[in-house]
Amino acid sequence: MARLTINGKKPDIACDDETPLLYVLRDHLGLSGPKFGCGLGQCGACTVLVDGRATRSCITPLSAVQNSTVITLEGLGSKDAPHPLQSAFITYQAAQCGTCTNGMIMTAAALSGQNPAPTREEIRTALAGNLCRCGTQQRILAAVLSAFTPKGELDHDDPR
Ligand code: FES
């Protein structure tokens, strides 16, 4: 029986140790925030936080997260009380197909734990491994930057 904390709960998980964490989250726990993009650790759509680190859940077996704390997009905020990054993505309408959105937000959330005031370049670097094929990168960058910036201090072009 796997032992881990997911979004503040300790669910019973009766899966094989080699089951990818993404499958456990989506198929066994009904958490659809993390997306299946490539399944190969290359696109970032499946990103979750494992002990605060951005982690590609499609290539992370359950055995690798024993006794860890996992946070998914659902655990970051709620509809009534969204995380600032979730609010910013809504405000900036920073999605087209939406497949990459989870990974962008979770990677930015991991960055916020390491660097509460990143520069635009640091955000670009952090998100470089998260792929968006729709061409929404400018809105995504603006949304993340706004989430890290106190109100009224934005100095970039608003792409809305
Ligand atoms: Fe995990 Fe693409 S689905 S990195």
Side-chain angles (χ1 to χ4, degrees), residues 18 31 36 46 49 57 63 66 71 73 77-78 89 101 107 113-115 121 139 156:
E18 294 313 304
L31 296 167
F36 184 97
C46 63
L49 301 184
S57 62
S63 58
Q66 288 286 346
I71 297 177
L73 190 66
S78 67
F89 271 66
T101 306
T107 302
Q114 302 156 359
N115 181 356
E121 211 43 49
R139 284 177 182 257
H156 62 84

Side-chain angles (χ1 to χ4, degrees), residues 43-118:
C43 74
C46 63
T47 302
V48 298
L49 301 184
V50 176
D51 297 331
R53 292 187 311 278
T55 302
R56 303 208 164 179
S57 62
C58 70
I59 55 167
T60 302
L62 196 52
S63 58
V65 294
Q66 288 286 346
N67 301 313
S68 298
T69 296
V70 175
I71 297 177
T72 71
L73 190 66
E74 292 88 345
L76 211 55
S78 67
K79 197 171 179 183
D80 293 332
H83 186 280
L85 282 161
Q86 293 169 318
S87 294
F89 271 66
I90 294 169
T91 300
Y92 281 78
Q93 292 291 286
Q96 285 189 48
C97 83
T99 302
C100 73
T101 306
N102 167 75
M104 296 289 185
I105 291 176
M106 298 311 288
T107 302
L111 175 63
S112 73
Q114 302 156 359
N115 181 356

